[in-house]
Short mmCIF file of all heavy atoms in Angstrom, two decimals:
data_model
loop_
_atom_site.label_atom_id
_atom_site.label_comp_id
_atom_site.label_asym_id
_atom_site.label_seq_id
_atom_site.Cartn_x
_atom_site.Cartn_y
_atom_site.Cartn_z
N ILE N 1 158.73 68.60 99.75
CA ILE N 1 158.72 67.44 100.70
C ILE N 1 160.14 66.91 100.81
O ILE N 1 160.68 66.64 101.84
CB ILE N 1 157.72 66.41 100.27
CG1 ILE N 1 156.32 66.80 100.50
CG2 ILE N 1 158.08 65.04 100.99
CD1 ILE N 1 155.24 65.92 99.96
N ASP N 2 160.81 66.74 99.65
CA ASP N 2 162.19 66.25 99.66
C ASP N 2 163.11 67.12 100.44
O ASP N 2 163.94 66.63 101.20
CB ASP N 2 162.60 66.00 98.24
CG ASP N 2 162.16 64.75 97.61
OD1 ASP N 2 161.70 63.84 98.37
OD2 ASP N 2 162.19 64.60 96.38
N ALA N 3 162.99 68.39 100.24
CA ALA N 3 163.84 69.34 100.91
C ALA N 3 163.66 69.28 102.39
O ALA N 3 164.68 69.31 103.19
CB ALA N 3 163.58 70.71 100.41
N ASP N 4 162.40 69.21 102.86
CA ASP N 4 162.24 69.12 104.33
C ASP N 4 162.59 67.81 104.90
O ASP N 4 163.06 67.73 106.01
CB ASP N 4 160.71 69.45 104.62
CG ASP N 4 160.44 70.92 104.55
OD1 ASP N 4 161.17 71.66 105.15
OD2 ASP N 4 159.44 71.25 103.92
N LEU N 5 162.42 66.72 104.08
CA LEU N 5 162.98 65.38 104.60
C LEU N 5 164.36 65.38 104.75
O LEU N 5 164.91 64.81 105.70
CB LEU N 5 162.55 64.35 103.56
CG LEU N 5 161.11 63.75 103.68
CD1 LEU N 5 160.91 62.72 102.57
CD2 LEU N 5 160.94 63.01 104.99
N PHE N 6 165.16 66.04 103.85
CA PHE N 6 166.60 66.17 103.94
C PHE N 6 167.03 66.90 105.26
O PHE N 6 167.92 66.52 105.96
CB PHE N 6 167.17 66.89 102.75
CG PHE N 6 168.70 66.92 102.70
CD1 PHE N 6 169.39 65.77 102.29
CD2 PHE N 6 169.38 68.01 103.12
CE1 PHE N 6 170.79 65.79 102.31
CE2 PHE N 6 170.74 68.02 103.13
CZ PHE N 6 171.46 66.89 102.75
N ARG N 7 166.26 67.97 105.58
CA ARG N 7 166.54 68.72 106.81
C ARG N 7 166.29 67.81 107.98
O ARG N 7 166.97 67.93 109.03
CB ARG N 7 165.72 70.01 106.76
CG ARG N 7 166.23 71.10 105.96
CD ARG N 7 165.72 72.46 106.38
NE ARG N 7 164.22 72.59 106.12
CZ ARG N 7 163.70 73.09 104.96
NH1 ARG N 7 164.56 73.39 104.01
NH2 ARG N 7 162.45 73.10 104.86
N LEU N 8 165.20 67.02 107.93
CA LEU N 8 164.86 66.22 109.15
C LEU N 8 165.79 64.98 109.30
O LEU N 8 166.15 64.62 110.35
CB LEU N 8 163.39 65.72 109.00
CG LEU N 8 162.35 66.74 109.38
CD1 LEU N 8 160.96 66.19 109.15
CD2 LEU N 8 162.41 67.03 110.88
N LYS N 9 166.04 64.32 108.16
CA LYS N 9 166.76 62.97 108.19
C LYS N 9 168.22 63.15 107.78
O LYS N 9 168.95 62.10 108.04
CB LYS N 9 166.00 62.03 107.19
CG LYS N 9 164.54 61.70 107.54
CD LYS N 9 163.80 61.07 106.48
CE LYS N 9 164.40 59.67 106.12
NZ LYS N 9 163.62 59.01 105.15
N GLY N 10 168.56 64.23 107.18
CA GLY N 10 169.94 64.30 106.69
C GLY N 10 170.22 63.59 105.45
O GLY N 10 171.42 63.47 105.05
N LYS N 11 169.20 63.12 104.77
CA LYS N 11 169.38 62.43 103.49
C LYS N 11 168.03 62.37 102.74
O LYS N 11 167.01 62.59 103.33
CB LYS N 11 169.86 60.94 103.71
CG LYS N 11 168.82 60.13 104.53
CD LYS N 11 169.27 58.72 104.72
CE LYS N 11 168.25 57.89 105.48
NZ LYS N 11 168.72 56.42 105.64
N MET N 12 168.11 62.20 101.45
CA MET N 12 166.97 62.10 100.66
C MET N 12 166.37 60.77 100.81
O MET N 12 166.96 59.83 101.19
CB MET N 12 167.30 62.41 99.18
CG MET N 12 167.98 63.71 98.94
SD MET N 12 166.96 65.15 99.25
CE MET N 12 165.90 65.06 97.84
N GLY N 13 165.14 60.63 100.35
CA GLY N 13 164.50 59.29 100.41
C GLY N 13 163.41 59.17 101.40
O GLY N 13 163.44 59.78 102.52
N MET N 14 162.39 58.31 101.08
CA MET N 14 161.29 58.03 102.03
C MET N 14 161.44 56.75 102.64
O MET N 14 162.55 56.26 102.88
CB MET N 14 159.98 58.24 101.18
CG MET N 14 159.95 59.68 100.48
SD MET N 14 158.47 59.97 99.56
CE MET N 14 157.52 60.78 100.84
N THR N 15 160.31 56.01 102.86
CA THR N 15 160.33 54.68 103.38
C THR N 15 161.10 53.74 102.55
O THR N 15 161.17 53.83 101.33
CB THR N 15 158.93 54.14 103.66
OG1 THR N 15 159.00 52.85 104.20
CG2 THR N 15 158.13 54.13 102.36
N ARG N 16 161.78 52.75 103.25
CA ARG N 16 162.52 51.66 102.53
C ARG N 16 161.57 50.62 101.96
O ARG N 16 162.02 49.75 101.23
CB ARG N 16 163.56 51.12 103.40
CG ARG N 16 164.71 52.14 103.80
CD ARG N 16 165.82 51.36 104.52
NE ARG N 16 165.34 50.81 105.80
CZ ARG N 16 165.47 51.49 106.97
NH1 ARG N 16 165.92 52.66 106.99
NH2 ARG N 16 165.02 50.89 108.09
N GLU N 17 160.30 50.66 102.38
CA GLU N 17 159.52 49.52 102.08
C GLU N 17 158.98 49.55 100.65
O GLU N 17 158.67 48.49 100.05
CB GLU N 17 158.20 49.60 103.08
CG GLU N 17 158.52 49.43 104.47
CD GLU N 17 159.17 48.09 104.82
OE1 GLU N 17 158.72 47.10 104.17
OE2 GLU N 17 160.00 48.12 105.73
N ILE N 18 158.88 50.69 100.06
CA ILE N 18 158.46 50.80 98.60
C ILE N 18 159.34 51.86 97.96
O ILE N 18 159.89 52.71 98.61
CB ILE N 18 156.96 51.13 98.48
CG1 ILE N 18 156.71 52.57 99.05
CG2 ILE N 18 156.06 50.10 99.05
CD1 ILE N 18 155.28 53.02 98.78
N PRO N 19 159.52 51.76 96.62
CA PRO N 19 160.35 52.75 95.88
C PRO N 19 159.81 54.19 96.10
O PRO N 19 158.61 54.45 96.28
CB PRO N 19 160.22 52.35 94.44
CG PRO N 19 159.88 50.88 94.48
CD PRO N 19 159.02 50.70 95.70
N ASP N 20 160.76 55.14 96.09
CA ASP N 20 160.43 56.59 96.39
C ASP N 20 159.39 57.08 95.40
O ASP N 20 158.50 57.87 95.84
CB ASP N 20 161.70 57.38 96.25
CG ASP N 20 162.49 57.38 97.51
OD1 ASP N 20 161.99 56.71 98.49
OD2 ASP N 20 163.51 58.12 97.60
N ASN N 21 159.41 56.76 94.09
CA ASN N 21 158.49 57.30 93.23
C ASN N 21 157.12 56.90 93.51
O ASN N 21 156.06 57.70 93.37
CB ASN N 21 158.83 56.88 91.75
CG ASN N 21 158.89 55.41 91.54
OD1 ASN N 21 159.25 54.61 92.40
ND2 ASN N 21 158.49 54.99 90.35
N PHE N 22 156.84 55.68 94.00
CA PHE N 22 155.46 55.33 94.41
C PHE N 22 155.12 56.02 95.73
O PHE N 22 153.98 56.38 95.90
CB PHE N 22 155.49 53.75 94.67
CG PHE N 22 155.52 52.97 93.38
CD1 PHE N 22 156.71 52.50 92.93
CD2 PHE N 22 154.37 52.69 92.69
CE1 PHE N 22 156.79 51.80 91.76
CE2 PHE N 22 154.46 51.96 91.51
CZ PHE N 22 155.64 51.51 91.04
N ALA N 23 156.03 56.09 96.69
CA ALA N 23 155.71 56.79 97.92
C ALA N 23 155.32 58.29 97.71
O ALA N 23 154.31 58.77 98.24
CB ALA N 23 156.90 56.66 98.92
N HIS N 24 156.06 58.89 96.84
CA HIS N 24 155.80 60.32 96.47
C HIS N 24 154.40 60.41 95.94
O HIS N 24 153.58 61.31 96.30
CB HIS N 24 156.80 60.81 95.39
CG HIS N 24 158.01 61.35 95.93
ND1 HIS N 24 159.32 60.91 95.64
CD2 HIS N 24 158.33 62.43 96.85
CE1 HIS N 24 160.24 61.59 96.27
NE2 HIS N 24 159.67 62.46 96.95
N LYS N 25 154.10 59.57 94.92
CA LYS N 25 152.82 59.69 94.25
C LYS N 25 151.69 59.44 95.22
O LYS N 25 150.58 60.10 95.11
CB LYS N 25 152.78 58.64 93.12
CG LYS N 25 151.63 58.81 92.19
CD LYS N 25 151.75 60.17 91.45
CE LYS N 25 150.58 60.39 90.42
NZ LYS N 25 150.66 61.66 89.72
N ILE N 26 151.79 58.48 96.11
CA ILE N 26 150.73 58.18 97.10
C ILE N 26 150.43 59.41 98.01
O ILE N 26 149.31 59.73 98.19
CB ILE N 26 151.13 56.91 97.95
CG1 ILE N 26 151.06 55.68 97.04
CG2 ILE N 26 150.19 56.79 99.12
CD1 ILE N 26 151.71 54.50 97.78
N ILE N 27 151.52 60.00 98.45
CA ILE N 27 151.32 61.15 99.37
C ILE N 27 150.79 62.29 98.67
O ILE N 27 149.73 62.96 99.08
CB ILE N 27 152.69 61.55 99.99
CG1 ILE N 27 153.06 60.45 100.95
CG2 ILE N 27 152.58 62.86 100.75
CD1 ILE N 27 154.47 60.63 101.52
N VAL N 28 151.33 62.66 97.46
CA VAL N 28 150.97 63.92 96.77
C VAL N 28 149.51 63.73 96.17
O VAL N 28 148.71 64.63 96.19
CB VAL N 28 152.06 64.33 95.77
CG1 VAL N 28 151.58 65.45 94.92
CG2 VAL N 28 153.32 64.71 96.50
N SER N 29 149.33 62.64 95.47
CA SER N 29 148.06 62.49 94.78
C SER N 29 146.89 62.37 95.79
O SER N 29 145.78 62.76 95.45
CB SER N 29 148.06 61.15 93.94
OG SER N 29 148.23 60.00 94.67
N GLY N 30 147.21 61.89 96.96
CA GLY N 30 146.17 61.88 98.06
C GLY N 30 145.75 63.26 98.39
O GLY N 30 144.54 63.55 98.53
N LEU N 31 146.73 64.10 98.55
CA LEU N 31 146.38 65.53 98.89
C LEU N 31 145.69 66.24 97.71
O LEU N 31 144.58 66.86 97.95
CB LEU N 31 147.69 66.33 99.09
CG LEU N 31 148.47 66.03 100.35
CD1 LEU N 31 149.88 66.68 100.24
CD2 LEU N 31 147.79 66.52 101.57
N MET N 32 146.08 65.98 96.53
CA MET N 32 145.44 66.59 95.36
C MET N 32 143.96 66.11 95.16
O MET N 32 143.11 66.84 94.78
CB MET N 32 146.23 66.34 94.09
CG MET N 32 147.57 67.02 94.02
SD MET N 32 147.41 68.90 94.07
CE MET N 32 146.46 69.18 92.57
N SER N 33 143.80 64.86 95.43
CA SER N 33 142.45 64.27 95.31
C SER N 33 141.45 64.84 96.16
O SER N 33 140.33 65.16 95.85
CB SER N 33 142.50 62.71 95.51
OG SER N 33 143.26 62.10 94.55
N ILE N 34 141.80 65.14 97.45
CA ILE N 34 141.01 65.72 98.43
C ILE N 34 140.61 67.18 97.90
O ILE N 34 139.41 67.54 97.94
CB ILE N 34 141.58 65.84 99.85
CG1 ILE N 34 141.73 64.39 100.43
CG2 ILE N 34 140.79 66.65 100.80
CD1 ILE N 34 142.55 64.33 101.62
N ILE N 35 141.59 67.88 97.50
CA ILE N 35 141.33 69.25 97.01
C ILE N 35 140.48 69.25 95.76
O ILE N 35 139.47 70.07 95.63
CB ILE N 35 142.62 69.96 96.76
CG1 ILE N 35 143.41 70.26 98.08
CG2 ILE N 35 142.44 71.28 95.99
CD1 ILE N 35 144.85 70.68 97.93
N LYS N 36 140.65 68.34 94.87
CA LYS N 36 139.91 68.29 93.61
C LYS N 36 138.38 67.90 93.87
O LYS N 36 137.52 68.43 93.23
CB LYS N 36 140.52 67.36 92.60
CG LYS N 36 141.81 67.91 91.99
CD LYS N 36 142.48 66.92 91.11
CE LYS N 36 141.64 66.70 89.85
NZ LYS N 36 142.31 65.71 88.88
N VAL N 37 138.25 67.00 94.82
CA VAL N 37 136.87 66.62 95.14
C VAL N 37 136.11 67.91 95.76
O VAL N 37 135.01 68.16 95.37
CB VAL N 37 136.76 65.50 96.22
CG1 VAL N 37 135.41 65.30 96.73
CG2 VAL N 37 137.24 64.24 95.56
N TRP N 38 136.86 68.60 96.57
CA TRP N 38 136.29 69.86 97.19
C TRP N 38 136.00 70.85 96.09
O TRP N 38 134.83 71.47 96.13
CB TRP N 38 137.30 70.39 98.17
CG TRP N 38 136.76 71.54 99.00
CD1 TRP N 38 135.68 71.69 99.63
CD2 TRP N 38 137.56 72.70 99.36
NE1 TRP N 38 135.55 72.85 100.32
CE2 TRP N 38 136.75 73.50 100.18
CE3 TRP N 38 138.84 73.19 99.03
CZ2 TRP N 38 137.12 74.69 100.69
CZ3 TRP N 38 139.22 74.42 99.58
CH2 TRP N 38 138.42 75.14 100.39
N LEU N 39 136.88 71.05 95.16
CA LEU N 39 136.66 72.01 94.01
C LEU N 39 135.47 71.56 93.19
O LEU N 39 134.62 72.36 92.81
CB LEU N 39 137.92 72.08 93.22
CG LEU N 39 139.15 72.70 93.81
CD1 LEU N 39 140.36 72.55 92.94
CD2 LEU N 39 138.93 74.26 94.02
#
């Protein structure tokens, strides 16, 4: 995700509204939760 954001935005980092570590966790854990429920 970070690598593709850099290609799109020209810089690292996600939204300015919350720290990156929280934004990362919200996005990634959401994906993992859906897959784990399915499994």
